[in-house]
Amino acid sequence: MRIMLSISPRNDEILHIRKTLENLGHEVRLFGLVHVFEQHYWRRKMVPWREGRAQKQYEKDCRRECLDLLHSWRPNPMLFINLPDQLFSYEEMHSVCREAHKMNCHVCTWMIDLCARDDETKQFCGLFDQVYSYEKADVQWLSGSGVPAHFLPVGYAEAYGIVEPVNPERDIVFIGTPYHSRLHLLQRVAQESRRQGWVFQAIGPFWEKRHPWKPLLGRFRYPQLYSYVDNRKISPEEAAKIYAGSRICLNFHLAAAASCNPRTYEILAAGGFQVIDKRQNYDILEPGKDIVAFDDVDDLLEKITYYLSHDEQRHVIAQAGRAKILGRRSLQTALKEVLGEAGL
């Protein structure tokens, strides 16, 4: 099957969607959505007029590439990871869908981030043959607005499900992007780690290495956390090994999110014991049985302290969570559902 996939390079690097589709035996062509000057700091700061001009030209070229690939390669389906509403206007996306339908090509979108709940989003989503979202609240909002949508969690890539168990190398680990709400929690975990002697590691793109003042600023703002930070991006293969080799894996969501993010399933698939901020929707998981949920930072520290001293309980919960999601919440399973709903 020929699949035309629209996804940002960073999301594909983290989630392995293209690789998963190819492992399922499909031929995949990408047209990525990147910013022209995203690697050029001074151009962003000093010549915004040039950036805007170049970005508009890039977006024009990208739209033309989309239509050229559609006509020359004749894929089925087109899969957009997140709405392409920053690249296409409603009229332009309507034209793309119309051209795709002439070739009997389904056009689908899978929102792996929160959507803006406004009339523009509702109208844009109405163009797609299938609409999926990892956020159940967004699905309910879209369906209640007359746009059929399906709840589809973003599952774990293959690398997480095949990792071998190892002896723990660290007590606590966090892997992810350092949003402000997460930094507050991580700072408190770092303070307690120093006091209790916990082996703690926070891994992610905390600051840009090419700007020497960024680490200094991070050290000034988060002095306790700084020494625990491993400032880099890592592959799913390495993340899986780190989760498997940690006693406690932390997972913090954005404040507006109500459902479980992809990391929830990645940690569990790797056999990790997961402490997660309280959710409105846990999908198929049961707090206290498959994962452990916390209310606030004091509750988080209390649960970390408790479970670091109760190895057997930690092991039982981690094993139950892994057994619950293996196969049921893999990325392969999710993508098969997308293709199945498209009748392919």
Side-chain angles (χ1 to χ4, degrees):
M1 186 183 301
R2 292 180 172 181
I3 300 173
M4 187 168 160
L5 177 64
S6 170
I7 186 172
S8 73
R10 179 58 181 153
N11 278 336
D12 197 39
E13 180 184 335
I14 294 171
L15 299 174
H16 274 192
I17 290 179
R18 178 182 185 176
K19 182 177 181 179
T20 302
L21 287 168
E22 290 174 340
N23 287 345
L24 287 170
H26 304 299
E27 189 176 355
V28 182
R29 294 274 184 92
L30 287 179
F31 76 100
L33 306 176
V34 297
H35 196 289
V36 175
F37 288 133
E38 66 180 2
Q39 299 300 321
H40 302 283
Y41 176 82
W42 289 114
R43 288 180 181 176
R44 290 205 309 268
K45 294 294 185 183
M46 299 180 68
V47 285
W49 64 271
R50 184 181 177 189
E51 173 195 1
R53 187 175 176 183
Q55 182 68 13
K56 287 179 181 178
Q57 182 61 47
Y58 167 77
E59 291 172 354
K60 182 179 179 181
D61 293 343
C62 195
R63 289 190 288 267
R64 183 167 56 248
E65 177 194 351
C66 174
L67 288 171
D68 288 348
L69 188 57
L70 178 63
H71 286 103
S72 64
W73 196 51
R74 303 183 72 85
N76 190 22
M78 297 175 69
L79 176 58
F80 291 83
I81 303 301
N82 287 327
L83 291 179
D85 52 351
Q86 293 186 348
L87 177 65
F88 295 97
S89 67
Y90 173 83
E91 291 75 18
E92 289 166 338
M93 193 67 221
H94 186 271
S95 176
V96 169
C97 292
R98 186 172 59 246
E99 291 299 309
H101 291 154
K102 289 179 182 177
M103 304 175 200
N104 295 317
C105 173
H106 284 75
V107 187
C108 313
T109 184
W110 186 7
M111 290 179 283
I112 63 172
D113 293 320
L114 297 171
C115 75
R117 297 178 191 171
D118 52 31
D119 290 340
E120 289 77 13
T121 298
K122 180 173 61 176
Q123 186 182 35
F124 210 91
C125 285
L127 294 171
F128 293 89
D129 298 304
Q130 279 85 33
V131 177
Y132 304 90
S133 175
Y134 92 100
E135 177 57 70
K136 184 166 281 189
D138 287 345
V139 171
Q140 293 169 344
W141 175 78
L142 284 167
S143 299
S145 301
V147 180
H150 306 274
F151 172 61
L152 188 62
V154 183
Y156 62 89
E158 183 181 16
Y160 294 96
I162 61 175
V163 66
E164 294 292 331
V166 296
N167 291 326
E169 299 177 2
R170 64 194 64 76
D171 295 317
I172 311 160
V173 72
F174 168 85
I175 301 176
T177 304
Y179 298 120
H180 179 73
S181 58
R182 291 173 172 174
L183 286 169
H184 169 68
L185 293 170
L186 292 171
Q187 175 83 338
R188 288 290 305 277
V189 173
Q191 291 173 346
E192 193 65 13
S193 295
R194 188 174 299 279
R195 193 177 74 84
Q196 300 262 21
W198 296 336
V199 180
F200 170 47
Q201 192 174 18
I203 307 171
F206 279 71
W207 41 74
E208 297 177 88
K209 294 180 180 179
R210 58 191 170 180
H211 307 311
W213 63 89
K214 292 293 181 75
L216 295 174
L217 185 60
R219 188 171 192 169
F220 174 76
R221 289 178 173 172
Y222 303 99
Q224 287 81 14
L225 176 60
Y226 180 85
S227 61
Y228 294 100
V229 168
D230 187 354
N231 183 48
R232 62 191 177 96
K233 299 174 183 177
I234 61 175
S235 67
E237 290 80 5
E238 185 179 1
K241 292 177 182 178
I242 290 172
Y243 288 143
S246 304
R247 292 183 174 85
I248 293 179
C249 304
L250 303 178
N251 184 9
F252 307 144
H253 292 73
L254 296 178
S259 296
C260 295
N261 59 18
R263 188 172 295 108
T264 307
Y265 308 102
E266 293 166 355
I267 292 171
L268 293 176
F273 171 82
Q274 182 169 182
V275 177
I276 187 174
D277 48 342
K278 187 167 283 187
R279 308 281 80 216
Q280 292 179 27
N281 170 38
Y282 291 97
D283 188 23
I284 59 175
L285 301 171
E286 184 178 339
K289 182 177 179 181
D290 307 312
I291 54 175
V292 169
F294 68 90
D295 294 308
D296 53 32
V297 67
D298 292 328
D299 189 37
L300 168 63
L301 297 176
E302 184 178 319
K303 284 183 164 65
I304 290 174
T305 302
Y306 177 83
Y307 282 104
L308 282 178
S309 61
H310 291 78
D311 293 351
E312 183 60 28
Q313 289 185 36
R314 202 174 62 239
H315 177 74
V316 168
I317 292 173
Q319 289 301 105
R322 188 169 194 264
K324 179 72 70 71
I325 61 100
L326 277 184
R328 298 178 67 184
R329 286 295 178 261
S330 69
L331 191 55
Q332 280 197 5
T333 300
L335 289 167
K336 285 178 181 178
E337 182 174 336
V338 172
L339 300 179
E341 289 285 343
L344 303 172

